[in-house]
Amino acid sequence: KYNLLRKAARPFAQEYIAVSKDLAGWLVNRIGGKRVRVNQIYNGVDSAKFHPRRGGRPAVLPSGFADDASVLFGSVGRMAAVKDYPTLVRAFIRMVQESNEARQRARLVLVGEGEARAQCQRLLDEANLAALAWLPGERHDIADCLQALDVFVLPSLNEGISNTILEAQACGLPVIATRVGGNLELVSEGMTGALFEPANPQILAQVLRSYLNDPVRRQREGAAARTGIESAHSLDAMAASYQAVYDRVLRQQVLIDSGNVNRCAG
């Protein structure tokens, strides 16, 4: 139904703006938009608000939940089915059950509200690992919550362009994400994070474990992620790209109007 509506609106669309290359391809190949009318502009992120933490972790975590030796894996967003947070919970449980060191040091943070929250809490309760996780529900101090993490994880089944990935990268976090949609455009494997196939808690558990014991990797990939935000995903860069599209379209319209006036005068 959604695709049919898009196709019906196609004759009225003079320009398209897609937030990812994946969506730009969808507009051309599935909807039938003309490639010359499809512009691709990534979302920008407020890199002043979302920045790497300075000093210790922000005071947002429950008392005694984590110490300096802890490694916090986490995610932020609406806990809808498409985000597949239960896969992250299952991977975390698997890692902790297979390693006493992980049980001592690994912690899980899931910030957000939605249908999957109760399922995630139930999985943790059944594994007797609820004390190692914090699921606070909806929060409005997202920047502080991200700055409390060490690794950001997005286990989505599908994504366009994830603003939470951009915000996590702005906070200097390495990102583990599924190999779907726009995630492949934001996460450079081995440079700013890691990618894995969706709905695979076994593989994700291995990836989590690889970050647990490698602080150098966490620091290196997080720093590279922050640099990428500053160079390509700032709010100024996004605004300039939108302005360029509007300027081009308006110039074209002026030329068309001018031509019509000349023809009428002739």
Side-chain angles (χ1 to χ4, degrees):
K1 182 185 295 184
Y2 183 73
N3 287 348
L4 288 174
L5 289 171
R6 283 289 192 184
K7 290 177 180 179
R10 188 178 58 206
F12 307 100
Q14 186 172 347
E15 295 285 328
Y16 291 98
I17 294 179
V19 296
S20 71
K21 294 176 182 177
D22 180 64
L23 287 173
W26 173 79
L27 282 168
V28 173
N29 300 322
R30 293 291 300 276
I31 305 304
K34 292 184 178 180
R35 190 171 296 277
V36 294
R37 293 186 175 182
V38 177
N39 307 273
Q40 193 272 306
I41 302 174
Y42 288 118
N43 290 340
V45 61
D46 185 345
S47 55
K49 177 181 179 180
F50 294 92
H51 59 79
R53 70 172 176 248
R54 299 161 184 144
R57 301 183 198 274
V60 296
L61 301 170
S63 177
F65 178 70
D67 57 27
D68 291 342
S70 301
V71 178
L72 271 63
F73 299 91
S75 196
V76 171
R78 59 189 178 89
M79 299 189 74
V82 70
K83 300 298 183 179
D84 197 21
Y85 287 114
T87 283
L88 172 53
V89 173
R90 291 186 177 99
F92 179 81
I93 291 171
R94 188 184 190 100
M95 174 181 66
V96 168
Q97 289 178 337
E98 292 177 349
S99 166
N100 186 57
E101 181 182 9
R103 183 182 290 269
Q104 294 299 317
R105 298 178 58 221
R107 299 293 183 268
L108 179 64
V109 175
L110 295 178
V111 177
E113 191 58 79
E115 60 197 83
R117 184 181 173 212
Q119 181 184 0
C120 290
Q121 187 66 62
R122 184 170 64 254
L123 289 169
L124 291 161
D125 291 341
E126 291 172 352
N128 293 318
L129 294 175
L132 303 187
W134 183 49
L135 283 71
E138 184 178 3
R139 302 274 298 200
H140 299 286
D141 52 350
I142 299 304
D144 288 340
C145 290
L146 285 172
Q147 289 158 7
L149 301 179
D150 297 293
V151 181
F152 184 82
V153 189
L154 189 69
S156 301
L157 300 175
N158 189 34
E159 279 291 341
I161 281 291
S162 168
N163 287 333
T164 54
I165 284 183
L166 293 172
E167 291 166 355
Q169 290 178 327
C171 290
L173 298 178
V175 173
I176 303 171
T178 43
R179 202 182 301 273
V180 299
N183 292 353
L184 287 81
E185 300 170 42
L186 298 183
V187 180
S188 178
E189 196 155 20
M191 297 293 292
T192 63
L195 296 166
F196 70 100
E197 297 303 319
N200 194 328
Q202 180 177 356
I203 294 299
L204 179 54
Q206 296 174 10
V207 179
L208 297 179
R209 193 178 304 115
S210 71
Y211 278 88
L212 177 68
N213 298 311
D214 198 339
V216 174
R217 179 184 184 184
R218 297 197 303 267
Q219 193 281 330
R220 182 185 68 248
E221 292 184 356
R226 172 67 186 188
T227 298
I229 290 295
E230 292 173 341
S231 63
H233 295 287
S234 68
L235 290 177
D236 288 343
M238 178 187 70
S241 296
Y242 274 92
Q243 182 174 336
V245 173
Y246 278 88
D247 287 345
R248 176 174 53 79
V249 172
L250 289 171
R251 281 196 302 269
Q252 291 171 348
Q253 190 61 49
V254 168
L255 291 173
I256 292 171
D257 292 344
S258 177
N260 290 336
V261 168
N262 289 337
R263 281 194 295 274
C264 289

PDB file of all heavy atoms in Angstrom, residues 224-257:
ATOM      1  N   ALA A 224      37.362   7.653  15.552  1.00  0.00           N
ATOM      2  CA  ALA A 224      37.141   7.741  14.101  1.00  0.00           C
ATOM      3  C   ALA A 224      35.684   8.076  13.799  1.00  0.00           C
ATOM      4  O   ALA A 224      35.391   8.829  12.861  1.00  0.00           O
ATOM      5  CB  ALA A 224      37.537   6.422  13.431  1.00  0.00           C
ATOM      6  N   ALA A 225      34.767   7.528  14.583  1.00  0.00           N
ATOM      7  CA  ALA A 225      33.347   7.821  14.393  1.00  0.00           C
ATOM      8  C   ALA A 225      33.068   9.297  14.638  1.00  0.00           C
ATOM      9  O   ALA A 225      32.340   9.943  13.876  1.00  0.00           O
ATOM     10  CB  ALA A 225      32.501   6.957  15.321  1.00  0.00           C
ATOM     11  N   ARG A 226      33.637   9.846  15.687  1.00  0.00           N
ATOM     12  CA  ARG A 226      33.451  11.266  15.989  1.00  0.00           C
ATOM     13  C   ARG A 226      34.010  12.140  14.869  1.00  0.00           C
ATOM     14  O   ARG A 226      33.375  13.121  14.452  1.00  0.00           O
ATOM     15  CB  ARG A 226      34.133  11.608  17.313  1.00  0.00           C
ATOM     16  CG  ARG A 226      34.179  13.104  17.649  1.00  0.00           C
ATOM     17  CD  ARG A 226      32.799  13.668  17.925  1.00  0.00           C
ATOM     18  NE  ARG A 226      32.861  15.128  18.111  1.00  0.00           N
ATOM     19  CZ  ARG A 226      31.846  15.875  18.512  1.00  0.00           C
ATOM     20  NH1 ARG A 226      30.678  15.326  18.799  1.00  0.00           N
ATOM     21  NH2 ARG A 226      31.972  17.167  18.648  1.00  0.00           N
ATOM     22  N   THR A 227      35.171  11.788  14.343  1.00  0.00           N
ATOM     23  CA  THR A 227      35.770  12.541  13.248  1.00  0.00           C
ATOM     24  C   THR A 227      34.866  12.527  12.023  1.00  0.00           C
ATOM     25  O   THR A 227      34.690  13.548  11.343  1.00  0.00           O
ATOM     26  CB  THR A 227      37.144  11.963  12.887  1.00  0.00           C
ATOM     27  OG1 THR A 227      38.021  12.080  14.014  1.00  0.00           O
ATOM     28  CG2 THR A 227      37.763  12.695  11.700  1.00  0.00           C
ATOM     29  N   GLY A 228      34.249  11.370  11.747  1.00  0.00           N
ATOM     30  CA  GLY A 228      33.334  11.263  10.616  1.00  0.00           C
ATOM     31  C   GLY A 228      32.114  12.150  10.773  1.00  0.00           C
ATOM     32  O   GLY A 228      31.636  12.749   9.794  1.00  0.00           O
ATOM     33  N   ILE A 229      31.614  12.258  11.983  1.00  0.00           N
ATOM     34  CA  ILE A 229      30.467  13.141  12.241  1.00  0.00           C
ATOM     35  C   ILE A 229      30.850  14.584  11.971  1.00  0.00           C
ATOM     36  O   ILE A 229      30.127  15.340  11.311  1.00  0.00           O
ATOM     37  CB  ILE A 229      29.975  12.980  13.694  1.00  0.00           C
ATOM     38  CG1 ILE A 229      29.317  11.603  13.897  1.00  0.00           C
ATOM     39  CG2 ILE A 229      28.990  14.090  14.057  1.00  0.00           C
ATOM     40  CD1 ILE A 229      28.056  11.384  13.099  1.00  0.00           C
ATOM     41  N   GLU A 230      31.996  14.991  12.482  1.00  0.00           N
ATOM     42  CA  GLU A 230      32.423  16.381  12.332  1.00  0.00           C
ATOM     43  C   GLU A 230      32.646  16.753  10.866  1.00  0.00           C
ATOM     44  O   GLU A 230      32.394  17.889  10.460  1.00  0.00           O
ATOM     45  CB  GLU A 230      33.700  16.614  13.134  1.00  0.00           C
ATOM     46  CG  GLU A 230      33.483  16.542  14.647  1.00  0.00           C
ATOM     47  CD  GLU A 230      34.783  16.609  15.420  1.00  0.00           C
ATOM     48  OE1 GLU A 230      35.848  16.346  14.810  1.00  0.00           O
ATOM     49  OE2 GLU A 230      34.753  16.915  16.627  1.00  0.00           O
ATOM     50  N   SER A 231      33.100  15.789  10.053  1.00  0.00           N
ATOM     51  CA  SER A 231      33.437  16.100   8.662  1.00  0.00           C
ATOM     52  C   SER A 231      32.263  15.947   7.708  1.00  0.00           C
ATOM     53  O   SER A 231      32.213  16.618   6.673  1.00  0.00           O
ATOM     54  CB  SER A 231      34.586  15.206   8.198  1.00  0.00           C
ATOM     55  OG  SER A 231      34.203  13.833   8.226  1.00  0.00           O
ATOM     56  N   ALA A 232      31.308  15.083   8.013  1.00  0.00           N
ATOM     57  CA  ALA A 232      30.276  14.774   7.014  1.00  0.00           C
ATOM     58  C   ALA A 232      28.846  14.832   7.520  1.00  0.00           C
ATOM     59  O   ALA A 232      27.920  14.853   6.710  1.00  0.00           O
ATOM     60  CB  ALA A 232      30.541  13.373   6.428  1.00  0.00           C
ATOM     61  N   HIS A 233      28.625  14.858   8.821  1.00  0.00           N
ATOM     62  CA  HIS A 233      27.258  14.745   9.333  1.00  0.00           C
ATOM     63  C   HIS A 233      26.884  15.850  10.313  1.00  0.00           C
ATOM     64  O   HIS A 233      26.039  15.655  11.190  1.00  0.00           O
ATOM     65  CB  HIS A 233      27.063  13.381  10.000  1.00  0.00           C
ATOM     66  CG  HIS A 233      27.171  12.229   9.059  1.00  0.00           C
ATOM     67  ND1 HIS A 233      26.202  11.935   8.134  1.00  0.00           N
ATOM     68  CD2 HIS A 233      28.165  11.322   8.878  1.00  0.00           C
ATOM     69  CE1 HIS A 233      26.584  10.875   7.427  1.00  0.00           C
ATOM     70  NE2 HIS A 233      27.759  10.496   7.860  1.00  0.00           N
ATOM     71  N   SER A 234      27.478  17.010  10.148  1.00  0.00           N
ATOM     72  CA  SER A 234      27.117  18.133  11.015  1.00  0.00           C
ATOM     73  C   SER A 234      25.788  18.729  10.561  1.00  0.00           C
ATOM     74  O   SER A 234      25.352  18.529   9.417  1.00  0.00           O
ATOM     75  CB  SER A 234      28.200  19.215  10.967  1.00  0.00           C
ATOM     76  OG  SER A 234      28.223  19.830   9.689  1.00  0.00           O
ATOM     77  N   LEU A 235      25.149  19.475  11.450  1.00  0.00           N
ATOM     78  CA  LEU A 235      23.916  20.170  11.074  1.00  0.00           C
ATOM     79  C   LEU A 235      24.175  21.198   9.983  1.00  0.00           C
ATOM     80  O   LEU A 235      23.349  21.396   9.088  1.00  0.00           O
ATOM     81  CB  LEU A 235      23.311  20.854  12.303  1.00  0.00           C
ATOM     82  CG  LEU A 235      22.719  19.931  13.377  1.00  0.00           C
ATOM     83  CD1 LEU A 235      22.227  20.768  14.561  1.00  0.00           C
ATOM     84  CD2 LEU A 235      21.591  19.086  12.830  1.00  0.00           C
ATOM     85  N   ASP A 236      25.339  21.846  10.034  1.00  0.00           N
ATOM     86  CA  ASP A 236      25.680  22.836   9.006  1.00  0.00           C
ATOM     87  C   ASP A 236      25.803  22.185   7.636  1.00  0.00           C
ATOM     88  O   ASP A 236      25.337  22.738   6.629  1.00  0.00           O
ATOM     89  CB  ASP A 236      26.987  23.540   9.364  1.00  0.00           C
ATOM     90  CG  ASP A 236      26.826  24.511  10.527  1.00  0.00           C
ATOM     91  OD1 ASP A 236      25.678  24.881  10.828  1.00  0.00           O
ATOM     92  OD2 ASP A 236      27.848  24.896  11.133  1.00  0.00           O
ATOM     93  N   ALA A 237      26.432  21.012   7.578  1.00  0.00           N
ATOM     94  CA  ALA A 237      26.587  20.313   6.297  1.00  0.00           C
ATOM     95  C   ALA A 237      25.227  19.905   5.743  1.00  0.00           C
ATOM     96  O   ALA A 237      24.971  20.035   4.534  1.00  0.00           O
ATOM     97  CB  ALA A 237      27.483  19.089   6.474  1.00  0.00           C
ATOM     98  N   MET A 238      24.344  19.418   6.606  1.00  0.00           N
ATOM     99  CA  MET A 238      23.005  19.023   6.158  1.00  0.00           C
ATOM    100  C   MET A 238      22.233  20.235   5.639  1.00  0.00           C
ATOM    101  O   MET A 238      21.634  20.189   4.556  1.00  0.00           O
ATOM    102  CB  MET A 238      22.235  18.375   7.306  1.00  0.00           C
ATOM    103  CG  MET A 238      20.811  17.970   6.938  1.00  0.00           C
ATOM    104  SD  MET A 238      19.825  17.377   8.355  1.00  0.00           S
ATOM    105  CE  MET A 238      19.610  18.920   9.258  1.00  0.00           C
ATOM    106  N   ALA A 239      22.265  21.329   6.387  1.00  0.00           N
ATOM    107  CA  ALA A 239      21.533  22.529   5.981  1.00  0.00           C
ATOM    108  C   ALA A 239      22.056  23.076   4.657  1.00  0.00           C
ATOM    109  O   ALA A 239      21.273  23.499   3.794  1.00  0.00           O
ATOM    110  CB  ALA A 239      21.638  23.597   7.064  1.00  0.00           C
ATOM    111  N   ALA A 240      23.371  23.057   4.474  1.00  0.00           N
ATOM    112  CA  ALA A 240      23.953  23.543   3.223  1.00  0.00           C
ATOM    113  C   ALA A 240      23.517  22.688   2.045  1.00  0.00           C
ATOM    114  O   ALA A 240      23.253  23.201   0.943  1.00  0.00           O
ATOM    115  CB  ALA A 240      25.476  23.560   3.334  1.00  0.00           C
ATOM    116  N   SER A 241      23.407  21.384   2.252  1.00  0.00           N
ATOM    117  CA  SER A 241      22.985  20.483   1.175  1.00  0.00           C
ATOM    118  C   SER A 241      21.523  20.734   0.799  1.00  0.00           C
ATOM    119  O   SER A 241      21.172  20.760  -0.384  1.00  0.00           O
ATOM    120  CB  SER A 241      23.176  19.030   1.607  1.00  0.00           C
ATOM    121  OG  SER A 241      24.545  18.749   1.807  1.00  0.00           O
ATOM    122  N   TYR A 242      20.673  20.930   1.800  1.00  0.00           N
ATOM    123  CA  TYR A 242      19.271  21.257   1.510  1.00  0.00           C
ATOM    124  C   TYR A 242      19.154  22.594   0.786  1.00  0.00           C
ATOM    125  O   TYR A 242      18.388  22.736  -0.174  1.00  0.00           O
ATOM    126  CB  TYR A 242      18.451  21.289   2.804  1.00  0.00           C
ATOM    127  CG  TYR A 242      17.908  19.944   3.227  1.00  0.00           C
ATOM    128  CD1 TYR A 242      18.628  19.126   4.091  1.00  0.00           C
ATOM    129  CD2 TYR A 242      16.692  19.489   2.745  1.00  0.00           C
ATOM    130  CE1 TYR A 242      18.147  17.891   4.479  1.00  0.00           C
ATOM    131  CE2 TYR A 242      16.193  18.248   3.131  1.00  0.00           C
ATOM    132  CZ  TYR A 242      16.921  17.454   3.991  1.00  0.00           C
ATOM    133  OH  TYR A 242      16.441  16.215   4.363  1.00  0.00           O
ATOM    134  N   GLN A 243      19.929  23.565   1.234  1.00  0.00           N
ATOM    135  CA  GLN A 243      19.874  24.873   0.597  1.00  0.00           C
ATOM    136  C   GLN A 243      20.309  24.782  -0.864  1.00  0.00           C
ATOM    137  O   GLN A 243      19.728  25.449  -1.732  1.00  0.00           O
ATOM    138  CB  GLN A 243      20.763  25.869   1.339  1.00  0.00           C
ATOM    139  CG  GLN A 243      20.722  27.279   0.742  1.00  0.00           C
ATOM    140  CD  GLN A 243      21.485  28.288   1.559  1.00  0.00           C
ATOM    141  OE1 GLN A 243      21.679  28.094   2.759  1.00  0.00           O
ATOM    142  NE2 GLN A 243      21.923  29.358   0.932  1.00  0.00           N
ATOM    143  N   ALA A 244      21.316  23.964  -1.143  1.00  0.00           N
ATOM    144  CA  ALA A 244      21.792  23.812  -2.516  1.00  0.00           C
ATOM    145  C   ALA A 244      20.694  23.253  -3.419  1.00  0.00           C
ATOM    146  O   ALA A 244      20.542  23.669  -4.575  1.00  0.00           O
ATOM    147  CB  ALA A 244      23.019  22.911  -2.545  1.00  0.00           C
ATOM    148  N   VAL A 245      19.903  22.303  -2.893  1.00  0.00           N
ATOM    149  CA  VAL A 245      18.797  21.747  -3.690  1.00  0.00           C
ATOM    150  C   VAL A 245      17.753  22.817  -3.971  1.00  0.00           C
ATOM    151  O   VAL A 245      17.300  22.985  -5.111  1.00  0.00           O
ATOM    152  CB  VAL A 245      18.153  20.545  -2.962  1.00  0.00           C
ATOM    153  CG1 VAL A 245      16.894  20.081  -3.697  1.00  0.00           C
ATOM    154  CG2 VAL A 245      19.143  19.390  -2.858  1.00  0.00           C
ATOM    155  N   TYR A 246      17.365  23.555  -2.936  1.00  0.00           N
ATOM    156  CA  TYR A 246      16.356  24.605  -3.119  1.00  0.00           C
ATOM    157  C   TYR A 246      16.852  25.684  -4.087  1.00  0.00           C
ATOM    158  O   TYR A 246      16.095  26.163  -4.943  1.00  0.00           O
ATOM    159  CB  TYR A 246      15.983  25.228  -1.774  1.00  0.00           C
ATOM    160  CG  TYR A 246      14.963  24.428  -1.001  1.00  0.00           C
ATOM    161  CD1 TYR A 246      15.352  23.412  -0.134  1.00  0.00           C
ATOM    162  CD2 TYR A 246      13.602  24.677  -1.156  1.00  0.00           C
ATOM    163  CE1 TYR A 246      14.415  22.665   0.571  1.00  0.00           C
ATOM    164  CE2 TYR A 246      12.659  23.939  -0.460  1.00  0.00           C
ATOM    165  CZ  TYR A 246      13.068  22.932   0.404  1.00  0.00           C
ATOM    166  OH  TYR A 246      12.142  22.202   1.082  1.00  0.00           O
ATOM    167  N   ASP A 247      18.120  26.077  -3.949  1.00  0.00           N
ATOM    168  CA  ASP A 247      18.663  27.099  -4.852  1.00  0.00           C
ATOM    169  C   ASP A 247      18.625  26.633  -6.298  1.00  0.00           C
ATOM    170  O   ASP A 247      18.251  27.402  -7.205  1.00  0.00           O
ATOM    171  CB  ASP A 247      20.108  27.430  -4.458  1.00  0.00           C
ATOM    172  CG  ASP A 247      20.192  28.254  -3.179  1.00  0.00           C
ATOM    173  OD1 ASP A 247      19.151  28.802  -2.767  1.00  0.00           O
ATOM    174  OD2 ASP A 247      21.296  28.331  -2.604  1.00  0.00           O
ATOM    175  N   ARG A 248      18.997  25.380  -6.524  1.00  0.00           N
ATOM    176  CA  ARG A 248      19.001  24.852  -7.896  1.00  0.00           C
ATOM    177  C   ARG A 248      17.588  24.795  -8.468  1.00  0.00           C
ATOM    178  O   ARG A 248      17.346  25.198  -9.621  1.00  0.00           O
ATOM    179  CB  ARG A 248      19.640  23.462  -7.923  1.00  0.00           C
ATOM    180  CG  ARG A 248      19.602  22.793  -9.287  1.00  0.00           C
ATOM    181  CD  ARG A 248      20.370  21.491  -9.287  1.00  0.00           C
ATOM    182  NE  ARG A 248      19.950  20.596  -8.228  1.00  0.00           N
ATOM    183  CZ  ARG A 248      18.850  19.851  -8.285  1.00  0.00           C
ATOM    184  NH1 ARG A 248      18.026  19.933  -9.346  1.00  0.00           N
ATOM    185  NH2 ARG A 248      18.535  19.038  -7.291  1.00  0.00           N
ATOM    186  N   VAL A 249      16.642  24.325  -7.689  1.00  0.00           N
ATOM    187  CA  VAL A 249      15.262  24.220  -8.162  1.00  0.00           C
ATOM    188  C   VAL A 249      14.684  25.606  -8.451  1.00  0.00           C
ATOM    189  O   VAL A 249      13.999  25.818  -9.461  1.00  0.00           O
ATOM    190  CB  VAL A 249      14.396  23.474  -7.130  1.00  0.00           C
ATOM    191  CG1 VAL A 249      12.923  23.520  -7.522  1.00  0.00           C
ATOM    192  CG2 VAL A 249      14.855  22.023  -7.010  1.00  0.00           C
ATOM    193  N   LEU A 250      14.964  26.559  -7.581  1.00  0.00           N
ATOM    194  CA  LEU A 250      14.453  27.918  -7.782  1.00  0.00           C
ATOM    195  C   LEU A 250      15.069  28.577  -9.017  1.00  0.00           C
ATOM    196  O   LEU A 250      14.383  29.283  -9.761  1.00  0.00           O
ATOM    197  CB  LEU A 250      14.715  28.769  -6.539  1.00  0.00           C
ATOM    198  CG  LEU A 250      13.860  28.418  -5.311  1.00  0.00           C
ATOM    199  CD1 LEU A 250      14.351  29.171  -4.086  1.00  0.00           C
ATOM    200  CD2 LEU A 250      12.397  28.719  -5.569  1.00  0.00           C
ATOM    201  N   ARG A 251      16.366  28.330  -9.244  1.00  0.00           N
ATOM    202  CA  ARG A 251      16.997  28.886 -10.442  1.00  0.00           C
ATOM    203  C   ARG A 251      16.362  28.310 -11.702  1.00  0.00           C
ATOM    204  O   ARG A 251      16.110  29.030 -12.677  1.00  0.00           O
ATOM    205  CB  ARG A 251      18.499  28.582 -10.429  1.00  0.00           C
ATOM    206  CG  ARG A 251      19.318  29.497  -9.526  1.00  0.00           C
ATOM    207  CD  ARG A 251      20.802  29.410  -9.838  1.00  0.00           C
ATOM    208  NE  ARG A 251      21.316  28.061  -9.709  1.00  0.00           N
ATOM    209  CZ  ARG A 251      21.822  27.562  -8.590  1.00  0.00           C
ATOM    210  NH1 ARG A 251      21.883  28.315  -7.493  1.00  0.00           N
ATOM    211  NH2 ARG A 251      22.282  26.334  -8.547  1.00  0.00           N
ATOM    212  N   GLN A 252      16.090  27.014 -11.670  1.00  0.00           N
ATOM    213  CA  GLN A 252      15.442  26.379 -12.821  1.00  0.00           C
ATOM    214  C   GLN A 252      14.060  26.978 -13.055  1.00  0.00           C
ATOM    215  O   GLN A 252      13.658  27.227 -14.192  1.00  0.00           O
ATOM    216  CB  GLN A 252      15.335  24.869 -12.592  1.00  0.00           C
ATOM    217  CG  GLN A 252      16.670  24.144 -12.619  1.00  0.00           C
ATOM    218  CD  GLN A 252      16.546  22.696 -12.187  1.00  0.00           C
ATOM    219  OE1 GLN A 252      15.516  22.272 -11.654  1.00  0.00           O
ATOM    220  NE2 GLN A 252      17.600  21.916 -12.405  1.00  0.00           N
ATOM    221  N   GLN A 253      13.327  27.222 -11.963  1.00  0.00           N
ATOM    222  CA  GLN A 253      11.979  27.783 -12.100  1.00  0.00           C
ATOM    223  C   GLN A 253      12.026  29.209 -12.653  1.00  0.00           C
ATOM    224  O   GLN A 253      11.184  29.600 -13.466  1.00  0.00           O
ATOM    225  CB  GLN A 253      11.269  27.772 -10.751  1.00  0.00           C
ATOM    226  CG  GLN A 253       9.792  28.112 -10.831  1.00  0.00           C
ATOM    227  CD  GLN A 253       9.028  27.123 -11.698  1.00  0.00           C
ATOM    228  OE1 GLN A 253       9.155  25.911 -11.537  1.00  0.00           O
ATOM    229  NE2 GLN A 253       8.249  27.635 -12.646  1.00  0.00           N
ATOM    230  N   VAL A 254      13.021  29.994 -12.222  1.00  0.00           N
ATOM    231  CA  VAL A 254      13.174  31.354 -12.742  1.00  0.00           C
ATOM    232  C   VAL A 254      13.427  31.334 -14.241  1.00  0.00           C
ATOM    233  O   VAL A 254      12.862  32.126 -14.995  1.00  0.00           O
ATOM    234  CB  VAL A 254      14.318  32.082 -11.999  1.00  0.00           C
ATOM    235  CG1 VAL A 254      14.689  33.373 -12.729  1.00  0.00           C
ATOM    236  CG2 VAL A 254      13.910  32.397 -10.566  1.00  0.00           C
ATOM    237  N   LEU A 255      14.282  30.404 -14.684  1.00  0.00           N
ATOM    238  CA  LEU A 255      14.553  30.293 -16.121  1.00  0.00           C
ATOM    239  C   LEU A 255      13.304  29.901 -16.892  1.00  0.00           C
ATOM    240  O   LEU A 255      13.043  30.426 -17.978  1.00  0.00           O
ATOM    241  CB  LEU A 255      15.667  29.264 -16.356  1.00  0.00           C
ATOM    242  CG  LEU A 255      17.065  29.671 -15.884  1.00  0.00           C
ATOM    243  CD1 LEU A 255      18.029  28.497 -16.022  1.00  0.00           C
ATOM    244  CD2 LEU A 255      17.564  30.871 -16.671  1.00  0.00           C
ATOM    245  N   ILE A 256      12.511  28.985 -16.324  1.00  0.00           N
ATOM    246  CA  ILE A 256      11.271  28.572 -16.986  1.00  0.00           C
ATOM    247  C   ILE A 256      10.296  29.746 -17.080  1.00  0.00           C
ATOM    248  O   ILE A 256       9.714  30.022 -18.127  1.00  0.00           O
ATOM    249  CB  ILE A 256      10.631  27.388 -16.235  1.00  0.00           C
ATOM    250  CG1 ILE A 256      11.500  26.136 -16.378  1.00  0.00           C
ATOM    251  CG2 ILE A 256       9.217  27.117 -16.753  1.00  0.00           C
ATOM    252  CD1 ILE A 256      11.069  24.985 -15.499  1.00  0.00           C
ATOM    253  N   ASP A 257      10.137  30.452 -15.943  1.00  0.00           N
ATOM    254  CA  ASP A 257       9.228  31.601 -15.939  1.00  0.00           C
ATOM    255  C   ASP A 257       9.695  32.681 -16.906  1.00  0.00           C
ATOM    256  O   ASP A 257       8.883  33.308 -17.597  1.00  0.00           O
ATOM    257  CB  ASP A 257       9.132  32.180 -14.525  1.00  0.00           C
ATOM    258  CG  ASP A 257       8.430  31.230 -13.555  1.00  0.00           C
ATOM    259  OD1 ASP A 257       7.763  30.300 -14.042  1.00  0.00           O
ATOM    260  OD2 ASP A 257       8.560  31.420 -12.332  1.00  0.00           O
TER     261      ASP A 257
END
